[in-house]
Amino acid sequence: MKYIIKKVISMIITLVVVSLCVFLAFSIIPGDPALKKLGTEASPELIAQTREQMGLNDPVIVRYFRWFAAFLHGDMGKSYNYSVPVAGMILNKIPITLTMAIMSFLLTIVVSIPMGIITAKHEGGVLDRAVTVINQIIMAVPPFFSGILITFIFGMVFKLFTPGGFVSYTDNFAGFVGYLIFPSIAVALPKIAMTVKMLRGSVIDEAKKDYTRTAYSRGNNTNGVLYRHVLKNALIPVITFLGMLLADMVAGSIVIEQVFGIPGISRILLTSISNRDYPVVEAIIMGIAMIVIVTNLLVDIIYRIVDPRIGIEE
């Protein structure tokens, strides 16, 4: 419990620092939200009045504490551009992006862990060499380009899905998940390649250590040594990597949403950035930051379960 409490305190401090950095960043970059909302033809008096209504004339630190206090109470503020609550704009979009990120993450685990183990067991073999070459090719291709290829091959050639034919999760959940399969593959492909490479290297390194030779000397076969001893230690750095991947997939899904025409948070985010609609952008970035922080907390807890010595060492 002490270990978890320390991690939770660290998470809270990190969230406060991130919120401060996010708010200050959008306070100092060029661009006047009031001018962007009213247009260049608006009179200086109207612009000044609008800035006052938006609370933009208050000192930065006052605006930060007011915004952060409201955020802690679940109030994300109002959109500068649409004058509606930010929560109403993004809450129904977040499940779309999160579902695609989770599907990509599960796909990465299901494919990469068995493949990493198999290639490590057959180090230097034909399968290992073939997977290594394929991994290098996949890692060299950006996800958005993979998305374009998947759209062309599976959407336009094989007609397995209709490009742009997104189905809302409120109308047909099965159709919603079915449409997200191919975007999830586009997000997961480079992550699968990286995870396979990392797990393969970790298993091979662990297999060369003294405790492995001791396990063999006691009469264990290859599979017994691998699954009872080697894999448990080899997975520790991979768990960290997978934790970072989950957070990265949430951000990476934003690009893929544009390729496949998915109405997730990407459209709102890009539009809000161009319109200087900072409350919307800040809420989305804080949401992503919270996902990253909570993911890291879960990774630390899983660490503690896999190897109890980690908490003792810290």
Side-chain angles (χ1 to χ4, degrees), residues 24-32 276 278:
L24 291 179
F26 286 110
S27 298
I28 63 177
I29 61 175
D32 188 346
R276 298 296 190 271
Y278 297 144

Side-chain angles (χ1 to χ4, degrees), residues 3-176:
Y3 177 78
I4 295 176
I5 290 172
K6 287 170 61 178
K7 292 298 180 181
V8 170
I9 293 173
S10 175
M11 180 182 72
I12 294 173
I13 294 173
T14 303
L15 183 62
V16 173
V17 173
V18 169
S19 68
L20 182 61
C21 293
V22 169
F23 191 86
L24 291 179
F26 286 110
S27 298
I28 63 177
I29 61 175
D32 188 346
L35 181 61
K36 190 70 177 180
K37 178 180 180 179
L38 298 174
T40 55
E41 301 298 325
S43 64
E45 293 79 11
L46 182 59
I47 293 175
Q49 181 182 357
T50 304
R51 285 183 59 85
E52 184 66 30
Q53 292 173 350
M54 291 180 172
L56 298 175
N57 292 331
D58 297 331
V60 174
I61 194 65
V62 173
R63 287 190 282 130
Y64 166 73
F65 280 111
R66 184 171 59 209
W67 167 76
F68 189 64
F71 186 85
L72 292 178
H73 288 86
D75 182 5
M76 301 179 186
K78 283 189 175 182
S79 167
Y80 288 160
N81 200 41
Y82 301 103
S83 298
V84 297
V86 173
M89 294 178 60
I90 66 175
L91 287 182
N92 62 335
K93 305 294 183 182
I94 290 176
I96 299 174
T97 303
L98 283 183
T99 301
M100 186 163 65
I102 292 172
M103 289 175 62
S104 304
F105 183 70
L106 294 177
L107 184 63
T108 300
I109 293 177
V110 169
V111 176
S112 63
I113 291 182
M115 189 62 66
I117 295 172
I118 292 172
T119 53
K121 287 178 64 176
H122 301 86
E123 180 186 5
V126 176
L127 178 62
D128 182 33
R129 294 176 184 176
V131 171
T132 300
V133 172
I134 294 173
N135 279 352
Q136 291 176 345
I137 295 173
I138 292 176
M139 286 188 289
V141 177
F144 75 88
F145 187 70
S146 300
I148 294 173
L149 291 178
I150 289 173
T151 301
F152 175 74
I153 295 173
F154 296 101
M156 301 179 68
V157 176
F158 292 104
K159 309 291 184 182
L160 296 181
F161 74 102
T162 303
F166 175 77
V167 180
S168 174
Y169 62 91
T170 57
D171 297 332
N172 184 352
F173 187 77
F176 165 71

